[in-house]
Amino acid sequence: ASGTLVLRFLNFYGSLVRQMTAGKRFRICGEPRTGFFGAEMIHPRYREVEQGAALPQSLTPVYPTTAGLGQGPLRKVIVNAINSAKTEGQLVDTAPVEASIRLKLVPFAEAIQALHFPAPGAGAAALDRQTHPGWQRMKFDELLAQQLSLQSAYRARRRESAPVLVVTAGTALPAGEDARAKQAVRQQGADAKMGQAIAPGTAPAALLGQHVPQDPLQQRLLAALPFQLTGAQQRTLDEVLRDLAAPHPMRRLLQGDVGSGKTIVAALAACRAIDCGYQAAFMAPTEILAEQHYRKLSAWLVPLGVRIAWLSGSLKKREKEAASALIASGEAHLAIGTHALFQEAVTFHNLGLAIVDEQHRFGVGQRLALSQKGAHAKSVQEGALAATPSKLIPHQLMMSATPIPRTLAMTFYADLDVSVIDELPPGRTPVLTKLAAESRRDEVVERIRDACAAGRQVYWVCPLIEESETLQLKTAVETHERLTAMLPDLEVGLVHGRLRSAEKADAMTRFVSGSTHVLVATTVIEVGVDVPNASLMVIEHAERFGLSQLHQLRGRVGRGAAESACILLYQTPLSENARARLKVMFETTDGFLVAREDLRLRGPGEFLGTLQSGVPLLRFADLEADAELIEQARDVAARMLDTNDVQVAAHLMRWLGSRESYLMT
C-alpha cells in the first residue's frame, strides 16, 4: 500500500516466471536502493505466502553456510535438532535456577528459541550487539562453564602430592611461612608413623637422614647479589615460598613488566628446591633466551657450589647424552634449556620445581610433559623405594613479561595463583618512544652514529630474515649490508633464527662484550636479552608488529643509567589498527596499559594464541563488555562446586565435553 518496489533479477529463469504469477503473495528480503524505476531490490531472497496465512511468528534465521549447503536445508536440520532436544529434555537449565532468578536471566530453552527464532518485534540492534536477553543467558552459561572447569582444576591440584620444600629450624622464613612449615613437619611426622610415603630431603630432615644446610643457598645468593630486592620482588618471593612449603603442587604465574626482575625471584625459588635436596628445571622457549638465563644463573649460582646442566636441541648427540646423564643421576642441581628438557629421553632424578619462562609460548602438552617428570616419593621404612612409589607432582612457576589484564586473569587464568611485580628496580630509566616515517631513515642512521660516538650500543630489529615476494619489507640481511656500508667505522652484527647455534652465541657474545656497536636482529632478541649499555632500539616496519612484541622489544633498552630511546620506523599508508597500535606505544610505557589495549584490539584468541593456551576460547562472551557477568559466573561456580557435583558435571558436559581435560594442565 505504500507504493511500488521493483525486483531486479539478472537471470530470470522460466521457473521464476511460472512461480511469480499475478495474484500471488511473497515475503521479500533484500537491500532496497534507488534505481532507474524507483525503489528496487537486486536478487532478493523471497518466499511464497499462502493467501490468508497469518503473519510469521518469528524472523527468518540466516546461518553461516558453505558451498553446496543452502539456507533452506540448513534451517530444516537446525529446527529438527532443536525440536528433538526439547522432546528429550536436553534444553533444561544446567545453571542453578536460583542464580538465574537472582541475576534475571531468561531460561536456557527460552534463550535458544529467542536466538534461533526471534519474535518479529525483537530489536535487531540488541541481537546484533549481543545485548538481547537470550545472548546474555548464553554468555553467562559459557562463562560459568569456564569458571567451573578452571576452579575444578585448581581444587584437583590441591588434592595431589608435591614435595614440601621447607628449610630447617633457625632459618628466617617469610612472614606467615613458619607456621605453615611447622604444620608440614607435623604432618610428615604423622605420615611417617603410619608408614606413608614422603619425599626425600623435606623437613624434618632427620626422618630420612637428608642434610639440609644450616646456611641455605638462598641466603648465600641474597648476600652475594650486588643489589637489594625491591619491595615487589620480596613480596612475590614470599608468595612463591609459601606455596613451595605446601604439600600440594604450586601453579603460580609470576608476571611483571620487562626488566622488573622476575629472573632473580625464580632463581631464589630454585635455591629453595636445591636446599631441600630436589632438582629444579628452568625452561625457555628460544635458545637465545635459554642461553641468557644459563649465563646469568651460572654467574649467580656456580660460585655457590650449584652444578648446572645445559640442554638444548642444537647440542651434539654426545653433549646431550652427557647433560642427560648429569640430570638423571642427580649430579645436576639445576637444568636449564629449551623444549629439549621435556623430551622422553630426559629423566630427572628428583625434580621438585619446574620454572617456565614466557609460558604462553609453549603448548599445553609441552608444559604437561615437564610437570610429569616429578620425583617419586620414598618410603620411610628402611629408606628404600616402595614397591609402587607414589608420584610427586613438581611445583610449577610460570613467568610472563606480558602483563595479564584483570578480566583475562579472571577467565583464562582463574586456575592459577598470580603474583605481580609492579615495581621496577631503581636505576631503570623510562624509554622515550619516537615515531618516524620511512622517509626519515637517514636521520635515524645519524642518530645511531651519535649514540655509538657517545659509547652506547644499538639494536636494529627487522621483521623478516630474507626478502619475501609477498611482503616487500626491509630484511635483516639487507639491512645488515646497508648499515655496514653506511657506518664503515662501526662494527655491525647480525643475528637471526636461521643461524647455527654457535654463530648466534658468537654474535650475542660480541654484542654483550661491546665489540659490536650495532646489532641487526629479528625478533629472536624479543625477550631475555640484557645489555645495559644498549640505549637505542630501532624497529623496522613497526606497523607490522603486535603491541606485545613492540613492548617486549622496547624493553631491551633502558636497562642502564643512560637515557634510552626506541624509534618506531613505519611505512605509509597505515591501517586503522596499525595507527592505533603505534599511538599506544607512543603514549605509554606501562605494560599493563599496553596489554589492556592489545587485548581490546586483538581479542583473547590472538592475545593468548589458540595453540598455546589450551583453553577453549570464548565464542560469545566479550571480556571487556561482559566483565560484570564474569564476576557473577565466578561466584556461582564456587557455590556449585561446594554443593552440587551432578549439576557441575551436566553443565561442563554441555559446554566443554571432552575439552575440559585441557584445563587440567
Side-chain angles (χ1 to χ4, degrees), residues 94-95 108 137-145 651 654-655:
T94 50
F108 183 78
R137 178 61 198 237
M138 290 298 109
K139 291 178 178 182
F140 175 80
D141 277 22
E142 179 182 42
L143 289 166
L144 178 61
H651 196 80
R654 168 178 284 172
W655 283 92

Side-chain angles (χ1 to χ4, degrees), residues 445-526:
V445 174
E446 284 303 312
R447 178 73 180 266
I448 289 175
R449 188 178 280 112
D450 292 343
C452 293
R456 302 300 171 192
Q457 292 169 275
V458 180
Y459 294 102
W460 188 298
V461 178
C462 300
L464 296 175
I465 298 172
E466 297 166 350
E467 193 62 66
S468 164
E469 293 180 3
T470 55
L471 294 176
Q472 295 300 313
L473 309 181
K474 297 295 178 184
T475 67
V477 173
E478 177 194 340
T479 301
H480 175 256
E481 294 171 352
R482 181 176 295 187
L483 289 178
T484 300
M486 296 178 72
L487 302 168
D489 298 333
L490 301 178
E491 181 70 28
V492 182
L494 175 65
V495 63
H496 55 71
R498 292 186 192 169
L499 291 177
R500 290 196 295 267
S501 180
E503 293 172 321
K504 282 189 286 189
D506 180 62
M508 292 306 303
T509 300
R510 291 176 62 81
F511 189 64
V512 171
S513 67
S515 57
T516 295
H517 304 99
V518 181
L519 182 65
V520 178
T522 56
T523 54
V524 293
I525 58 108
E526 180 182 341

Side-chain angles (χ1 to χ4, degrees), residues 33-343:
R33 61 182 66 186
T34 302
F36 186 77
F37 298 105
E40 70 175 17
M41 286 184 181
I42 298 177
H43 274 296
R45 294 191 296 274
Y46 61 90
R47 189 172 72 191
E48 185 176 356
V49 179
E50 295 293 335
Q51 290 289 343
L55 289 174
Q57 298 303 306
S58 67
L59 302 177
T60 303
V62 179
Y63 296 104
T65 185
T66 187
L69 180 61
Q71 286 291 325
L74 183 56
R75 288 187 193 115
K76 287 181 182 178
V77 170
I78 291 173
V79 168
N80 291 337
I82 292 175
N83 289 337
S84 175
K86 286 180 182 177
T87 303
E88 296 173 11
Q90 295 177 356
L91 298 185
V92 297
D93 286 4
T94 50
V97 175
E98 60 84 21
S100 300
I101 295 172
R102 176 166 47 83
L103 301 175
K104 299 179 181 178
L105 298 172
V106 300
F108 183 78
E110 184 180 322
I112 291 289
Q113 182 72 23
L115 294 180
H116 284 276
F117 314 109
L127 288 167
D128 186 52
R129 292 198 297 263
Q130 297 189 349
T131 57
H132 186 278
W135 276 121
Q136 292 298 101
R137 178 61 198 237
M138 290 298 109
K139 291 178 178 182
F140 175 80
D141 277 22
E142 179 182 42
L143 289 166
L144 178 61
Q146 189 188 55
Q147 290 297 313
L148 285 171
S149 57
L150 291 169
Q151 292 185 33
S152 295
Y154 184 85
R155 295 185 183 202
R157 271 196 303 277
R158 299 181 80 83
R159 294 191 293 269
E160 294 174 335
S161 298
V164 180
L165 305 181
V166 293
V167 292
T168 55
T171 303
L173 296 176
E177 188 183 342
D178 187 55
R180 292 181 179 84
K182 290 176 181 176
Q183 176 59 35
V185 169
R186 286 195 295 270
Q187 182 60 48
Q188 285 193 11
D191 289 345
K193 291 177 183 177
M194 299 180 68
Q196 298 293 320
I198 63 174
T202 51
L207 287 175
L208 295 172
Q210 296 288 329
H211 173 67
V212 180
Q214 291 298 317
D215 186 13
L217 177 62
Q218 178 187 321
Q219 291 189 358
R220 287 185 284 143
L221 174 58
L222 281 170
L225 290 175
F227 55 85
Q228 297 289 321
L229 297 185
T230 65
Q233 286 173 319
Q234 186 62 57
R235 184 188 70 249
T236 54
L237 176 62
D238 291 351
E239 292 168 354
V240 171
L241 295 181
R242 280 197 292 269
D243 283 357
L244 294 180
H248 49 74
M250 171 182 75
R251 193 161 182 248
R252 183 169 287 277
L253 175 65
L254 175 62
Q255 60 170 333
D257 215 339
V258 286
S260 59
K262 297 179 293 296
T263 305
I264 185 58
V265 175
L268 290 164
C271 288
R272 169 60 64 87
I274 296 168
D275 273 336
C276 295
Y278 284 90
Q279 293 172 297
F282 200 125
M283 185 168 72
T286 66
E287 191 158 323
I288 283 184
L289 178 55
E291 190 166 346
Q292 287 281 322
H293 285 311
Y294 175 68
R295 292 174 182 273
K296 182 175 286 188
L297 292 171
S298 294
W300 286 341
L301 298 176
V302 169
L304 303 179
V306 175
R307 189 162 190 183
I308 302 177
W310 163 251
L311 191 60
S312 74
S314 65
L315 293 179
K316 296 177 181 178
K317 183 178 179 181
R318 184 176 299 175
E319 294 172 326
K320 286 183 183 177
E321 290 175 348
S324 297
L326 285 175
I327 295 170
S329 67
E331 292 180 64
H333 305 106
L334 174 63
I336 302 175
T338 57
H339 307 69
L341 283 177
F342 57 73
Q343 299 303 314

Side-chain angles (χ1 to χ4, degrees), residues 326-661:
L326 285 175
I327 295 170
S329 67
E331 292 180 64
H333 305 106
L334 174 63
I336 302 175
T338 57
H339 307 69
L341 283 177
F342 57 73
Q343 299 303 314
E344 190 175 344
V346 179
T347 303
F348 283 82
H349 179 65
N350 56 350
L351 180 63
L353 172 64
I355 301 167
V356 183
D357 196 13
E358 293 300 310
Q359 58 87 28
H360 58 282
R361 296 184 176 215
F362 290 97
V364 175
Q366 294 170 333
R367 297 199 301 266
L368 180 61
L370 185 60
S371 68
Q372 289 176 337
K373 292 181 177 290
H376 287 293
K378 285 185 179 179
S379 169
V380 295
Q381 289 183 322
E382 302 175 356
L385 278 174
T388 55
S390 61
K391 194 77 169 179
L392 291 173
I393 307 297
H395 298 283
Q396 196 169 117
L397 177 64
M398 294 160 283
M399 300 195 298
S400 176
T402 302
I404 309 301
R406 182 173 177 271
T407 52
L408 199 65
M410 285 194 300
T411 51
F412 294 97
Y413 294 98
D415 61 327
L416 299 181
D417 293 304
V418 180
S419 293
V420 181
I421 301 179
D422 52 7
E423 176 185 1
L424 289 178
R428 291 294 304 270
T429 56
V431 179
L432 178 66
T433 302
K434 296 187 176 183
L435 304 179
E438 171 70 22
S439 58
R440 298 176 60 190
R441 174 179 293 270
D442 290 343
E443 295 177 40
V444 174
V445 174
E446 284 303 312
R447 178 73 180 266
I448 289 175
R449 188 178 280 112
D450 292 343
C452 293
R456 302 300 171 192
Q457 292 169 275
V458 180
Y459 294 102
W460 188 298
V461 178
C462 300
L464 296 175
I465 298 172
E466 297 166 350
E467 193 62 66
S468 164
E469 293 180 3
T470 55
L471 294 176
Q472 295 300 313
L473 309 181
K474 297 295 178 184
T475 67
V477 173
E478 177 194 340
T479 301
H480 175 256
E481 294 171 352
R482 181 176 295 187
L483 289 178
T484 300
M486 296 178 72
L487 302 168
D489 298 333
L490 301 178
E491 181 70 28
V492 182
L494 175 65
V495 63
H496 55 71
R498 292 186 192 169
L499 291 177
R500 290 196 295 267
S501 180
E503 293 172 321
K504 282 189 286 189
D506 180 62
M508 292 306 303
T509 300
R510 291 176 62 81
F511 189 64
V512 171
S513 67
S515 57
T516 295
H517 304 99
V518 181
L519 182 65
V520 178
T522 56
T523 54
V524 293
I525 58 108
E526 180 182 341
V527 290
V529 179
D530 188 3
V531 182
N533 193 48
S535 64
L536 180 61
M537 164 74 69
V538 180
I539 303 177
E540 186 99 47
H541 282 284
E543 76 278 2
R544 295 277 180 175
F545 291 86
L547 266 176
S548 176
Q549 266 191 320
L550 289 173
H551 184 62
Q552 290 279 2
L553 289 167
R554 179 170 61 183
R556 298 310 103 208
V557 294
R559 292 174 169 259
E563 182 178 326
S564 298
C566 176
I567 299 175
L568 305 179
L569 264 180
Y570 63 89
Q571 194 167 51
T572 55
L574 290 173
S575 68
E576 187 176 338
N577 248 352
R579 189 180 300 275
R581 290 196 300 272
L582 295 181
K583 183 174 184 288
V584 171
M585 289 297 296
F586 178 73
E587 291 179 345
T588 183
T589 57
D590 186 321
F592 284 91
L593 289 177
V594 170
R596 192 177 305 133
E597 286 301 303
D598 196 17
L599 176 63
R600 185 182 65 81
L601 291 171
R602 290 196 294 162
E606 289 187 49
F607 188 94
L608 290 167
T610 53
L611 294 179
Q612 285 77 16
S613 69
V615 181
L617 296 178
L618 296 170
R619 290 174 290 172
F620 307 132
D622 180 275
L623 294 184
E624 291 295 326
D626 301 316
E628 186 178 355
L629 279 179
I630 295 172
E631 296 269 14
Q632 293 166 348
R634 185 170 62 170
D635 294 341
V636 173
R639 286 196 293 271
M640 285 178 68
L641 287 168
D642 288 336
T643 60
N644 199 326
D645 291 342
V646 174
Q647 198 170 35
V648 167
H651 196 80
L652 289 175
M653 181 55 66
R654 168 178 284 172
W655 283 92
L656 295 179
S658 60
R659 291 174 297 173
E660 185 197 353
S661 59

